[in-house]
Amino acid sequence: MLKKFWFLSIIIIIAIILPFIVQSSYYQHIFILILIWGTLGVAWNLLGGYTGQVSFGHAAFFGLGAYGAGLLAFHLHISPWWGMIVGPVAAVIISIPIGLICFRLRGPYFALAMLAVGEICRLIFTEWVPFTNGAMGILTLTTFSSKLPYYYIGLVVLLLSIYTVYRLMASRAGYYFVSIREDQDTAESLGIPTTKYKMYSLIPSAFFSGLAGAFYMNYMNYIEPSIVFSLPDVSIMIIMVVILGGVATLWGPVVGAIIYVVLSELFRSSLGSAHLLVFGVIVCLVIMYMPNGVMGEANKIKKLFRRKGTHIGSEMT
Amino acid sequence: MSLFWQTLICGLLLGGMYALIAIGMTLIMGVMKIINLAHGALVMVGMYVTYVCFHYWGIDPYAALFISMPALFFLGCLIQKYSINTLIGKESILPENQVLLTVGIMLVLTETMRMIFGSDYKSVHTSYTGSSFFVGDVSVSIPMAIGFVIAMVFTYALHIFLTKSDIGRSIRATAQDKEAAILMGVNANKITIITFGLGSALAAGGGTLLIPIYYLFPDIGHAFVAKSFIITILGGMGSTMGALFGGLTLGIAESFGATYISMGLKDVVGFVIFIIVLLFLPGGFKSLTKR
């Protein structure tokens, strides 16, 4: 426990002093992207990883959060930072009816229903031009010229989401979530109100997806429906990030986000548009050979390295 | 009234071609019990094969069916044999691992095509692309009519194949009960490979038939994947005839949505039908006939 505490403190301290070590604003931009994707991954992981409800439509919540912030600036001309409150709340409010409808379905049916929800949101926000400005998108002004404030706000958002998931999973609800994932019928027969606890899992998940969306809006200053509600670039990419890092692990989504963002930036300069191809190949290989992701198979990987040093016979006993 | 008939005919013809794509997906769903998210990407690859045939070798799109369908059959078999089948029996936290793998495959196929052909829109212009004939005062586009007829021929041929041939019967047996089929001496592993190949070939067929009236770019697969899900759920998982009626229904619904609601919202009509069917008729049309 003490070891874990020190490990965690070191990570947080590194995260805090990192932008002072790396002063280039390009690298700081990459760090901020990692924070956004990490938050999204952690949020998806709560519903998809721990509770086992694989959602193909989390772009709906991300986009609602982003538009919650953007529309405030667009219609009321107030700072989009208020969207950091309004955006996630909007995502939660919309998530409740979605959950009540979609949680009646299971497994692949649920995944498909969420896919439809995400696409419906994208189409509505594209077509409802008077309210959302349609495909022209929403443009706001930059608040800070330096990247540092964004970095720290993003870091707080990410740590908040990780802490929330950590506390949830350590509580009674967390055990309920895992039992729903492992066997829903058994969970129900043991007296767990499964639909209610799926909702308890969806609401924080939608909240943090919306928060990430609102932060994205404030950082990028420009959103349009085809960016924030995108099926391949948001909904599916979140899943890929979490799968890569490790499903149902606390730090897996963050590791996945680091791999995804670093890889895509690395290959974007050398391979151009093929950077997603490399990422896709890596995802396929990870699913085939490390089905629980990098963090999920961490023990196996550790063992692999340790085995080289120690006597093989000690493994047998 | 002529607008009504025009909309109906147009939707019906389009729906026939959608149905061909969806039948491919429903076959895979029935046998593998997974949703294949790479299906749209397979349609897209089939369309690019046809595009290459037409653009570089001057082969007519309908003749190119004989190239694109075998090519995709082969590709589908390879995908199933060397990636998806290796996951069977592997321990993982999420049971949907095979589904997620198809997402990865979709990404790889889409990005490979983007690398080769670039992101710009392509189209195939044949001599008959814009031409049409009139039935009463309703105009019928010739490529759509040809596509519809060929799609129906394929659907019927597939129906005969599934009910009469030995492999077809094995496919249906595996879809009904995999364990029992294995006990009866069906090589289930081989059947899954053939099924995936067949599904991919049908996807390529549908894509090729659509190409004279559609445009083409690497991300077009996403639209088809959503459409074929809607149709599969409408018709009931694993039901060929259900997928046919589902396809026609979706085509007509989209067409009416585009005419009477708004062009941009026609896809919303499909999704709303999708969610309603999921909630109130989860077995699709298949469950109606069984009662």
Coordinates of all heavy atoms in Angstrom, one line a residue, chain A residues 228-285:
Chain A
V228 N -16.9 16.4 -33.2 CA -17.1 15.9 -31.8 C -18.1 14.7 -31.8 O -18.1 14.0 -30.8 CB -17.6 17.0 -30.9 CG1 -16.5 18.0 -30.7 CG2 -18.8 17.7 -31.4
F229 N -19.0 14.6 -32.8 CA -19.9 13.4 -32.8 C -19.5 12.3 -33.7 O -20.2 11.4 -34.0 CB -21.3 13.9 -33.2 CG -22.0 14.7 -32.2 CD1 -22.3 16.0 -32.4 CD2 -22.5 14.1 -31.0 CE1 -22.9 16.8 -31.4 CE2 -23.1 14.8 -30.0 CZ -23.4 16.2 -30.2
S230 N -18.2 12.4 -34.1 CA -17.7 11.4 -35.1 C -17.8 10.0 -34.6 O -17.3 9.7 -33.5 CB -16.3 11.8 -35.5 OG -15.7 10.7 -36.2
L231 N -18.3 9.1 -35.5 CA -18.3 7.7 -35.1 C -16.9 7.1 -35.1 O -16.5 6.5 -34.1 CB -19.3 6.9 -36.0 CG -19.4 5.4 -35.8 CD1 -19.8 5.0 -34.4 CD2 -20.3 4.8 -36.9
P232 N -16.2 7.2 -36.2 CA -14.9 6.5 -36.3 C -13.8 7.3 -35.4 O -13.0 6.6 -34.8 CB -14.5 6.6 -37.7 CG -15.3 7.6 -38.3 CD -16.6 7.7 -37.6
D233 N -13.9 8.6 -35.4 CA -12.8 9.3 -34.7 C -13.0 9.5 -33.2 O -12.0 9.9 -32.5 CB -12.6 10.7 -35.4 CG -12.2 10.6 -36.8 OD1 -11.7 9.5 -37.2 OD2 -12.4 11.5 -37.6
V234 N -14.2 9.4 -32.7 CA -14.4 9.6 -31.3 C -15.0 8.3 -30.7 O -14.3 7.6 -29.9 CB -15.4 10.7 -31.0 CG1 -15.5 10.9 -29.5 CG2 -14.8 12.0 -31.5
S235 N -16.2 7.9 -31.1 CA -16.8 6.7 -30.4 C -15.9 5.5 -30.5 O -15.7 4.8 -29.5 CB -18.1 6.4 -31.1 OG -19.1 7.3 -30.8
I236 N -15.5 5.2 -31.7 CA -14.7 3.9 -31.9 C -13.3 4.1 -31.3 O -12.7 3.2 -30.7 CB -14.7 3.5 -33.3 CG1 -16.1 2.9 -33.6 CG2 -13.6 2.5 -33.7 CD1 -16.3 2.5 -35.1
M237 N -12.7 5.3 -31.5 CA -11.4 5.5 -31.0 C -11.3 5.4 -29.5 O -10.2 4.9 -29.0 CB -10.9 6.9 -31.5 CG -9.4 6.9 -31.9 SD -8.9 5.5 -32.8 CE -9.2 6.1 -34.5
I238 N -12.3 5.9 -28.8 CA -12.3 5.7 -27.3 C -12.1 4.2 -27.0 O -11.3 3.8 -26.1 CB -13.6 6.2 -26.7 CG1 -13.9 7.6 -27.0 CG2 -13.5 6.0 -25.2 CD1 -15.2 8.1 -26.5
I239 N -12.9 3.4 -27.7 CA -12.9 1.9 -27.4 C -11.5 1.4 -27.6 O -10.9 0.7 -26.8 CB -13.9 1.2 -28.2 CG1 -15.3 1.8 -28.0 CG2 -14.0 -0.3 -27.8 CD1 -16.4 1.2 -28.8
M240 N -10.9 1.8 -28.8 CA -9.6 1.3 -29.2 C -8.5 1.7 -28.1 O -7.7 0.9 -27.7 CB -9.2 1.9 -30.5 CG -10.1 1.5 -31.7 SD -9.8 -0.2 -32.1 CE -11.3 -0.9 -31.5
V241 N -8.6 3.0 -27.6 CA -7.7 3.5 -26.7 C -7.8 2.6 -25.4 O -6.8 2.2 -24.8 CB -8.0 5.0 -26.3 CG1 -7.4 5.4 -25.0 CG2 -7.5 5.8 -27.5
V242 N -9.0 2.3 -24.9 CA -9.2 1.6 -23.7 C -8.7 0.1 -23.9 O -8.0 -0.4 -23.0 CB -10.6 1.6 -23.2 CG1 -10.8 0.8 -21.9 CG2 -11.0 3.1 -23.0
I243 N -9.0 -0.5 -25.0 CA -8.6 -1.8 -25.3 C -7.1 -1.9 -25.3 O -6.5 -2.9 -24.7 CB -9.2 -2.3 -26.7 CG1 -10.7 -2.4 -26.7 CG2 -8.5 -3.6 -27.1 CD1 -11.2 -3.5 -25.9
L244 N -6.5 -0.9 -25.9 CA -5.0 -0.9 -26.0 C -4.4 -0.9 -24.6 O -3.5 -1.6 -24.3 CB -4.6 0.3 -26.9 CG -3.2 0.3 -27.5 CD1 -3.1 -0.9 -28.4 CD2 -3.0 1.5 -28.3
G245 N -4.9 0.0 -23.8 CA -4.3 0.3 -22.5 C -4.7 -0.8 -21.5 O -3.9 -1.2 -20.7
G246 N -5.9 -1.3 -21.6 CA -6.3 -2.4 -20.6 C -7.7 -2.1 -20.1 O -8.0 -1.1 -19.4
V247 N -8.6 -3.0 -20.5 CA -10.0 -2.9 -20.1 C -10.1 -3.2 -18.6 O -9.4 -4.0 -18.1 CB -10.9 -3.9 -20.9 CG1 -12.3 -3.8 -20.4 CG2 -10.8 -3.6 -22.3
A248 N -11.0 -2.4 -17.9 CA -11.2 -2.6 -16.5 C -10.0 -2.5 -15.6 O -9.8 -3.3 -14.7 CB -12.0 -4.0 -16.3
T249 N -9.1 -1.6 -16.0 CA -8.0 -1.3 -15.1 C -8.0 0.2 -14.9 O -8.5 0.9 -15.7 CB -6.6 -1.7 -15.7 OG1 -6.5 -1.0 -17.0 CG2 -6.5 -3.2 -15.9
L250 N -7.5 0.6 -13.7 CA -7.6 2.0 -13.4 C -6.8 2.9 -14.3 O -7.3 3.9 -14.8 CB -7.2 2.3 -11.9 CG -7.6 3.6 -11.3 CD1 -9.1 3.8 -11.4 CD2 -7.1 3.7 -9.9
W251 N -5.5 2.5 -14.6 CA -4.6 3.3 -15.3 C -4.6 2.9 -16.8 O -3.9 3.6 -17.6 CB -3.2 3.3 -14.7 CG -3.2 3.9 -13.4 CD1 -3.4 3.3 -12.2 CD2 -3.1 5.3 -13.1 NE1 -3.4 4.3 -11.2 CE2 -3.2 5.5 -11.7 CE3 -2.9 6.5 -13.9 CZ2 -3.1 6.7 -11.1 CZ3 -2.8 7.7 -13.3 CH2 -2.9 7.8 -11.9
G252 N -5.2 1.8 -17.1 CA -5.2 1.4 -18.5 C -5.6 2.4 -19.5 O -4.8 2.7 -20.5
P253 N -6.7 3.1 -19.4 CA -7.1 4.1 -20.4 C -6.1 5.2 -20.5 O -5.8 5.7 -21.7 CB -8.4 4.7 -19.8 CG -8.9 3.7 -18.9 CD -7.7 2.9 -18.3
V254 N -5.4 5.6 -19.4 CA -4.4 6.6 -19.6 C -3.2 6.1 -20.4 O -2.7 6.8 -21.3 CB -3.9 7.1 -18.2 CG1 -2.9 8.2 -18.3 CG2 -5.1 7.5 -17.3
V255 N -2.8 4.9 -20.1 CA -1.7 4.3 -20.9 C -2.1 4.2 -22.3 O -1.3 4.5 -23.2 CB -1.3 2.9 -20.3 CG1 -0.3 2.2 -21.2 CG2 -0.8 3.0 -18.9
G256 N -3.3 3.8 -22.6 CA -3.8 3.7 -24.0 C -3.8 5.0 -24.6 O -3.4 5.2 -25.8
A257 N -4.2 6.1 -23.9 CA -4.2 7.4 -24.5 C -2.8 7.9 -24.8 O -2.6 8.5 -25.9 CB -4.9 8.4 -23.5
I258 N -1.9 7.6 -23.9 CA -0.5 8.0 -24.2 C 0.0 7.3 -25.5 O 0.5 7.9 -26.4 CB 0.5 7.6 -23.0 CG1 0.1 8.4 -21.8 CG2 1.9 7.8 -23.4 CD1 0.8 8.0 -20.5
I259 N -0.3 5.9 -25.6 CA 0.2 5.2 -26.8 C -0.5 5.8 -28.0 O 0.2 6.0 -29.0 CB -0.2 3.7 -26.6 CG1 0.6 3.1 -25.4 CG2 0.2 2.9 -27.9 CD1 0.2 1.7 -25.1
Y260 N -1.8 6.0 -27.9 CA -2.5 6.5 -29.1 C -2.0 7.8 -29.6 O -1.7 8.0 -30.8 CB -4.0 6.5 -28.8 CG -4.8 7.3 -29.8 CD1 -4.9 6.9 -31.1 CD2 -5.6 8.4 -29.5 CE1 -5.6 7.6 -32.1 CE2 -6.3 9.1 -30.4 CZ -6.3 8.7 -31.7 OH -7.0 9.4 -32.6
V261 N -2.0 8.8 -28.7 CA -1.6 10.1 -29.1 C -0.2 10.2 -29.5 O 0.1 10.8 -30.6 CB -1.9 11.1 -27.9 CG1 -1.4 12.5 -28.3 CG2 -3.3 11.2 -27.6
V262 N 0.7 9.6 -28.8 CA 2.2 9.6 -29.2 C 2.4 8.9 -30.5 O 3.0 9.5 -31.4 CB 3.0 8.9 -28.1 CG1 4.5 8.8 -28.6 CG2 3.0 9.8 -26.8
L263 N 1.7 7.7 -30.7 CA 1.9 7.0 -32.0 C 1.4 7.9 -33.1 O 2.0 8.0 -34.1 CB 1.1 5.7 -31.9 CG 1.8 4.5 -31.5 CD1 0.9 3.3 -31.7 CD2 3.0 4.3 -32.4
S264 N 0.2 8.5 -32.9 CA -0.4 9.2 -34.1 C 0.4 10.4 -34.4 O 0.6 10.8 -35.5 CB -1.9 9.5 -33.8 OG -2.0 10.4 -32.7
E265 N 1.0 11.1 -33.4 CA 1.8 12.3 -33.6 C 3.1 11.9 -34.3 O 3.6 12.5 -35.2 CB 2.0 13.1 -32.4 CG 0.8 13.7 -31.8 CD 0.2 14.8 -32.7 OE1 1.0 15.4 -33.5 OE2 -1.0 14.9 -32.8
L266 N 3.7 10.7 -33.8 CA 4.9 10.3 -34.3 C 4.8 9.9 -35.8 O 5.7 10.3 -36.6 CB 5.3 9.0 -33.5 CG 6.8 8.8 -33.2 CD1 7.2 9.8 -32.2 CD2 7.0 7.4 -32.7
F267 N 3.7 9.2 -36.1 CA 3.6 8.7 -37.5 C 3.0 9.7 -38.4 O 3.1 9.6 -39.6 CB 2.8 7.4 -37.5 CG 3.5 6.2 -37.0 CD1 3.1 5.6 -35.9 CD2 4.7 5.8 -37.6 CE1 3.8 4.5 -35.3 CE2 5.4 4.7 -37.1 CZ 4.9 4.1 -36.0
R268 N 2.3 10.7 -37.8 CA 1.7 11.8 -38.7 C 2.8 12.5 -39.4 O 2.6 12.8 -40.6 CB 0.9 12.7 -37.8 CG -0.1 13.6 -38.6 CD -0.6 14.7 -37.8 NE -1.3 14.3 -36.6 CZ -2.5 14.0 -36.5 NH1 -3.3 14.0 -37.6 NH2 -3.1 13.6 -35.4
S269 N 4.0 12.7 -38.8 CA 5.0 13.5 -39.5 C 5.7 12.6 -40.5 O 6.1 13.1 -41.5 CB 6.0 14.0 -38.5 OG 6.4 13.0 -37.6
S270 N 5.9 11.3 -40.2 CA 6.7 10.5 -41.1 C 5.8 9.7 -42.1 O 6.2 9.6 -43.3 CB 7.5 9.4 -40.3 OG 6.7 8.6 -39.5
L271 N 4.6 9.3 -41.8 CA 3.8 8.5 -42.7 C 2.6 9.2 -43.2 O 1.9 8.7 -44.1 CB 3.3 7.2 -42.0 CG 4.4 6.2 -41.6 CD1 3.8 5.1 -40.9 CD2 5.0 5.7 -42.9
G272 N 2.4 10.5 -42.7 CA 1.2 11.2 -43.2 C -0.1 10.5 -42.8 O -0.3 10.1 -41.6
S273 N -1.0 10.2 -43.7 CA -2.3 9.7 -43.4 C -2.3 8.3 -42.9 O -3.3 7.7 -42.4 CB -3.3 9.9 -44.5 OG -2.9 9.0 -45.6
A274 N -1.1 7.6 -43.1 CA -1.1 6.2 -42.7 C -0.9 6.0 -41.2 O -0.9 4.8 -40.8 CB 0.1 5.5 -43.4
H275 N -0.9 7.1 -40.4 CA -0.6 6.8 -39.0 C -1.8 6.0 -38.3 O -1.5 5.3 -37.4 CB -0.4 8.2 -38.3 CG -1.7 9.0 -38.1 ND1 -2.1 9.9 -39.2 CD2 -2.6 9.1 -37.2 CE1 -3.2 10.5 -38.8 NE2 -3.5 10.0 -37.6
L276 N -3.0 6.2 -38.9 CA -4.1 5.4 -38.3 C -4.0 3.9 -38.7 O -4.4 3.1 -38.0 CB -5.4 6.0 -38.8 CG -6.0 7.1 -37.9 CD1 -7.2 7.7 -38.6 CD2 -6.3 6.7 -36.5
L277 N -3.4 3.7 -39.8 CA -3.2 2.3 -40.3 C -2.3 1.6 -39.3 O -2.6 0.5 -38.9 CB -2.6 2.3 -41.7 CG -2.2 0.9 -42.3 CD1 -3.4 0.1 -42.4 CD2 -1.5 1.1 -43.6
V278 N -1.2 2.2 -38.9 CA -0.2 1.6 -38.0 C -1.0 1.4 -36.7 O -0.9 0.3 -36.1 CB 1.0 2.5 -37.8 CG1 1.9 2.0 -36.7 CG2 1.7 2.7 -39.1
F279 N -1.8 2.4 -36.3 CA -2.5 2.2 -35.0 C -3.5 1.0 -35.1 O -3.6 0.2 -34.2 CB -3.3 3.5 -34.7 CG -4.0 3.5 -33.4 CD1 -3.4 3.4 -32.2 CD2 -5.4 3.5 -33.4 CE1 -4.0 3.4 -31.0 CE2 -6.1 3.5 -32.3 CZ -5.4 3.4 -31.1
G280 N -4.2 0.9 -36.2 CA -5.1 -0.2 -36.4 C -4.5 -1.5 -36.3 O -5.0 -2.4 -35.7
V281 N -3.3 -1.6 -37.0 CA -2.6 -2.9 -37.0 C -2.2 -3.2 -35.5 O -2.3 -4.4 -35.1 CB -1.3 -2.8 -37.9 CG1 -0.4 -4.1 -37.7 CG2 -1.7 -2.7 -39.3
I282 N -1.7 -2.2 -34.8 CA -1.3 -2.5 -33.4 C -2.5 -2.9 -32.6 O -2.4 -3.9 -31.8 CB -0.6 -1.2 -32.8 CG1 0.7 -1.0 -33.5 CG2 -0.5 -1.4 -31.3 CD1 1.4 0.3 -33.0
V283 N -3.7 -2.3 -32.8 CA -4.8 -2.6 -32.0 C -5.2 -4.1 -32.3 O -5.5 -4.9 -31.4 CB -6.0 -1.7 -32.4 CG1 -7.3 -2.3 -31.9 CG2 -5.8 -0.4 -31.7
C284 N -5.2 -4.5 -33.6 CA -5.5 -5.9 -34.0 C -4.6 -6.8 -33.3 O -5.0 -7.8 -32.7 CB -5.4 -6.1 -35.5 SG -6.8 -5.4 -36.4
L285 N -3.3 -6.5 -33.3 CA -2.3 -7.4 -32.7 C -2.5 -7.5 -31.2 O -2.4 -8.6 -30.6 CB -0.9 -7.0 -33.0 CG -0.5 -7.1 -34.4 CD1 0.9 -6.5 -34.7 CD2 -0.5 -8.6 -34.9

